[in-house]
Amino acid sequence: CVTDGTGGRSRMLRHELVRGLAKDPGRHLILVTATPHSGKEEGFRNLLALLSPGLESVDLESVQGRERLARYFVQRRRADIRSYLDESTPFPEDRMTQERTYSLSSGYKELFDDVLQYARETVRDPEGGQLRQRVRYWSALALLRALASSPRAAAATLRTRAANLDAQDVAEADRLGRSAVLDLPDEETTESADATPGADGDIGEGDTAHRKRLKRFASRATSLEGPADTKLALLADVVTELLLDGYNPVVFCRFIDTAEYVAEHLTQRLGPAYAVAAVTGVLPPEEREARIRELTADEARRPVLVATDCLSEGVNLQEHFQAVVHYDLAWNPTRHEQREGRVDRFGQRASVVRAVTLYGTDNGIDGIVLDVLLRKHEQ
């Protein structure tokens, strides 16, 4: 039995182990996976290669190729085991999905437009050569993503040094930039996957003109917390509606700063009748589970869990939660399915689970992510 529980960095070693076992044609193997195709063609092909030589290059667009694979591959879907061995298995009957939109407040829109203009300037600036330009590119992307997440994440990003500032070449700058900004698999991330990235790509010391400009942006972002944050107001309405409909929600955020900010405001909005807690990568795995147990222990208070993607895999939440809210869009379509899979899984007693996606109509980012990544993945 070779599972993800052995740690992300060991995946290559796990594959080498199973590949070695599969080389002996006289050995009979049953290979079991819960996610045969995660959206990555290369990973899927690597799995097929374990079954029989040549399958990794089989043409699955042809009938002959699919028939060849069918001799080795058995896929059982939820409908196949809803009733098994004369017993019904507890799976939700349906997943109800919904998209809810918001528009930025005037102050937030002004800041977004100013930051977008700043990002364009820095990316086009040739000063310092190609390396410094790549550092500025990833810093600008980090800033725009954090600003779309929350004013607190934006302020933290503006005050934080860029992760790739000390890169020695363009390839290293890109590698570190991707790790800090994009939603990569855990083994490709050099720091906590939910840590707020840095946007300060200035190599100068002290309060340079560039750094002063970032600090002014940060002050403006901080002033937008609370009533000026229409995204947060929409979330409060969505969470209230779910609770009134009998659903305990898990709210997924991209950054630690955003999750803590959201949990603070939901606590104030919902009042003492509800229990709200944030679980992020700041906590080691055993403390994450302890916090969830503490959150759900009081039967007199309905739980609301705010989390980052540190809980999107490997944690069962279906016993106490029946809904997922995507507060931040993931830049990896598999993450959305993983998030919803925390409640839409075996053992869920609710007949219908809910999934609500929030996105901004005028921030210039969410629409691209929805159309290019998420909706294409659904198709």
Side-chain angles (χ1 to χ4, degrees), residues 161-282:
R161 189 174 182 269
N164 59 354
L165 191 58
D166 296 327
Q168 299 301 306
D169 54 45
V170 171
E172 184 182 10
D174 285 344
R175 179 178 62 81
L176 294 173
R178 284 194 299 269
S179 175
V181 177
L182 304 183
D183 295 335
L184 302 175
D186 290 343
E187 68 269 23
E188 298 180 39
T189 303
T190 57
E191 57 181 316
S192 174
D194 52 4
T196 304
D200 183 359
D202 196 342
I203 58 175
E205 298 294 331
D207 270 348
T208 63
H210 174 79
R211 197 161 284 138
K212 287 179 179 178
R213 189 178 182 186
L214 294 184
K215 288 183 176 180
R216 288 194 295 270
F217 282 148
S219 296
R220 290 172 64 184
T222 300
S223 70
L224 294 170
E225 288 192 11
D229 188 352
T230 53
K231 180 182 180 182
L232 184 65
L234 174 61
L235 174 71
D237 291 341
V238 168
V239 168
T240 300
E241 292 168 11
L242 288 170
L243 289 168
L244 292 176
D245 287 343
Y247 290 85
N248 300 337
V250 184
V251 180
F252 276 102
C253 306
R254 175 58 176 83
F255 301 115
I256 294 170
D257 291 283
T258 299
E260 294 175 347
Y261 164 72
V262 165
E264 289 175 15
H265 285 268
L266 283 180
T267 299
Q268 297 172 7
R269 168 71 179 263
L270 297 176
Y274 299 92
V276 181
V279 175
T280 70
V282 169

